Amino acid sequence: MPTEFFLDKVWLIPLFPLAGAALMLLVGKRLQNSAVSAVCVGSVFASFLFSLGAVWQLLQRPAAERVAQKILFEWVPAGLTHTSSGKLVNFVAEWGLLLDPLSAVMILVVTGVGFLIHFYSIGYMAHEGGYYRFFGYMNLFMFSMLTLVLANNMLLMFVGWEGVGLCSYLLIGFYFLRKSAADAGKKAFIVNRVGDAGFLLGIFLSVGALGTIKFTEFAPALAAGHFTVGAPVITAIALLLFVGATGKSAQIPLYVWLPDAMEGPTPVSALIHAATMVTAGVYMVTRHNAMYQLAPLALDVVAVIGALTAIYAASMGLVQNDIKRILAYSTISQLGYMFLACGVGAFAAGIFHLTTHAFFKALLFLGSGSVIHALSGEQDIRKMGALWDKIPTTAKTFLIATLAIAGIPPFAGFFSKDEILGKTFEHSPALWGIGILTAGMTAFYMFRLVNMTFFGASRVPHDVEHHIHESPRTMTVPLMILAALSVVGGWIGWPASLGGSNRFEHFLDPVIARHGAEHVEAAAVHGGAIEYALMLASVLIALAGIWLARLFYIQRTDLPGKLASSFSGLYQLVYRKYYMDEVYDALFVNRAKDLGTTLALFDAKVIDALGVDGTGWLTRFASRLSIWWDTWIVDGLVNLAARMVWLFSYPVRMVQTGLVSSYALLIVFGVLVVLGYYGYLLRTMLR
């Protein structure tokens, strides 16, 4: 095997799940569930193994040389183009894959956590209809996300970006016969298209300003263009890219699709929230860090939006009762933390939290699925309680994930969240204040969830209670693996102040640009009273949230109701999600409907006012045009294809009579022809 076999074959990593998805599309309906599982779960496992091999071989290189590209073919050869500085460049977009420390982290997270979610789905979806369709969509989701993170240029990244958007629509609306699921899928698709428009404009502007969209050429292009810190065109590109990130990663104001995404099967929620899609925005901003470090205004916008989203979503998580929606708002809040890190220039810290979050958030969602499975589909935590001894594996692993997200040491979330808070304090104590308050709220609502689900008195309906059972091994084994990762996953970023070396940050150093450092590179606070005080503050506020949740939901269960009654207006405001869905309906949805109504009345009103027959000449014309188009273009193309098949199949149809005697006669005739042919050959040879 060649020394760098896996690096040379890196294109196989996204190809494996694509092959699985294609197979499900073609013949999946004819396969048994066991065969579907073997193909689709096996394809993701193969991607994970190849990812391990590729990353291992990348690590064998010196740190400065850890960049491997595989160009498959020239995709968009646009030719010579002028940049905004007047420089003439040859613009080419390749279908190429880039493996460097940043994409290495992402492919391990996507394939590793994705494989566990796929394996879990074997048990969770065992009795659901459309089994092959579900796994086909999941494999396609994996292919799209792997294309996104391995792309070596912005345009190919956009292909993966749109792919995960399509797959989210298909998977969120998987139960398409249920109107709420179909509506949630459409909502996710439409909201993301708004953000994607910003991303696309950012790509176009990058071509005009830099003459390239290739990630490895950004730094030289920025240097060649003599762009200074705060350059307007670079700031515009960074802001447009962030518009795309707000849609994909559910930040203010485009977060509204993510809570409704819980209409999909629970493994879909886990895949979207932990390993794919919502993390794409954080990855994209980090991948373009060279631009962001030259755009301090854009960085400030990223930081402020991230901080506000973190506390805003956490406030809604305080009062939700659906177990999956609580976790959805938690995801939005944690993504806010990641963008806060990017906004203060701590890009490595943002990716570190993305990694640890993948472990404990996947565990939380899969654990919630195990609870729902045990309770015959129940998702309301007000109808749970006292499940600790009834589903012990689920309960214990769920508690580990909750400790991790709350930031309790030595669990994974403590190290990544504490690093973000530390970097934020160096940049802006005000933003740190929002972050630390959010940490306390996170601990409270997550332990509210734990206490109401696993402890206290049982509120499970009697007809459900005697059916409670632990999930099968296909579901509990992934929970245990993720629980282990939720404990030790943060140790790779052990800070220097606690005797470590933060290997994770050093691993990403070659990817993080260093220009504009006076704005974004905060001086590290090395060991000392301030850093230890910040750590202590984050742990203490988390412990305070845990204690308060125990007081409210175990010891004094009457307090939440009294507080809700005393502050009913505020409670309703938060419970109704600040009425943002209603606001969006009023501003956009209903206005779009009004526009449609206005256009429908155009024929009857405007044309009539012009003195033309208002009873419908425009309508008749449109109707006739529609009939012509349907008859000659739509039906015509289909009928043409059918007629061509009919024509070329005529010789074959002549012998397809349906009479067994005719077939037997043809077989005898064929045998005689073959025997005659070989007899002729034999006689020729004997002469």
Side-chain angles (χ1 to χ4, degrees), residues 171-204:
L171 285 166
I172 292 168
F174 179 76
Y175 300 120
F176 56 87
L177 294 177
R178 195 167 65 201
K179 186 178 185 301
S180 58
D183 289 346
K186 289 183 286 187
K187 186 175 183 179
F189 191 81
I190 293 169
V191 172
N192 273 277
R193 296 295 73 72
V194 176
D196 294 351
F199 188 8
L200 200 56
L201 291 173
I203 295 175
F204 296 154

Side-chain angles (χ1 to χ4, degrees), residues 156-172:
L156 184 55
M157 175 186 276
F158 190 72
V159 172
W161 190 272
E162 291 300 288
V164 295
L166 170 64
C167 295
S168 69
Y169 164 75
L170 295 172
L171 285 166
I172 292 168

